[in-house]
Amino acid sequence: MLVPSSSWTAVDRDMANKVLTAMLEASKGQALDMYRLGLIEIFIGVNTLALLENERARRIDHCAIVIQKNVKATYYRRRYLKARDAILFA
């Protein structure tokens, strides 16, 4: 979430805190020691940064696979329907 420091509000801070806590508690259990919220920045430890980057990469890979699956399904469905229509209405 990229928010300019001039627009940083308590709502943004609470949301960032909830997201980080949920994400890091699922993996380690001691989420509060892994990051600190400053006034306008989030300070993340090296191990935590690597953990978040791995989770991000895993999520991007999953999304790419879902997109590819749906594109392939649409392509082959259209191809099948075209071949079926050619046989039935020829």
Side-chain angles (χ1 to χ4, degrees):
M1 168 177 85
L2 295 176
V3 178
S5 60
S6 60
S7 301
W8 190 257
T9 64
V11 174
D12 297 327
R13 184 180 177 87
D14 290 340
M15 184 178 61
N17 196 15
K18 286 179 186 177
V19 167
L20 285 169
T21 302
M23 184 106 173
L24 298 174
E25 277 182 359
S27 61
K28 292 282 185 180
Q30 302 239 342
L32 295 177
D33 295 338
M34 301 174 85
Y35 70 93
R36 300 270 182 197
L37 287 177
L39 292 176
I40 59 171
E41 294 179 317
I42 301 171
F43 300 97
I44 299 175
V46 175
N47 294 337
T48 307
L49 183 61
L51 176 73
L52 291 173
E53 284 295 322
N54 288 339
E55 182 65 25
R56 176 181 166 272
R58 189 185 65 77
R59 180 69 177 157
I60 289 173
D61 288 345
H62 173 73
C63 290
I65 289 169
V66 168
I67 290 169
Q68 289 173 354
K69 177 189 73 132
N70 289 328
V71 168
K72 278 184 173 181
T74 302
Y75 171 76
Y76 285 111
R77 176 75 179 160
R78 285 183 184 165
R79 193 171 118 180
Y80 164 75
L81 290 175
K82 187 176 178 181
R84 187 186 73 171
D85 289 345
I87 292 170
L88 292 177
F89 302 116

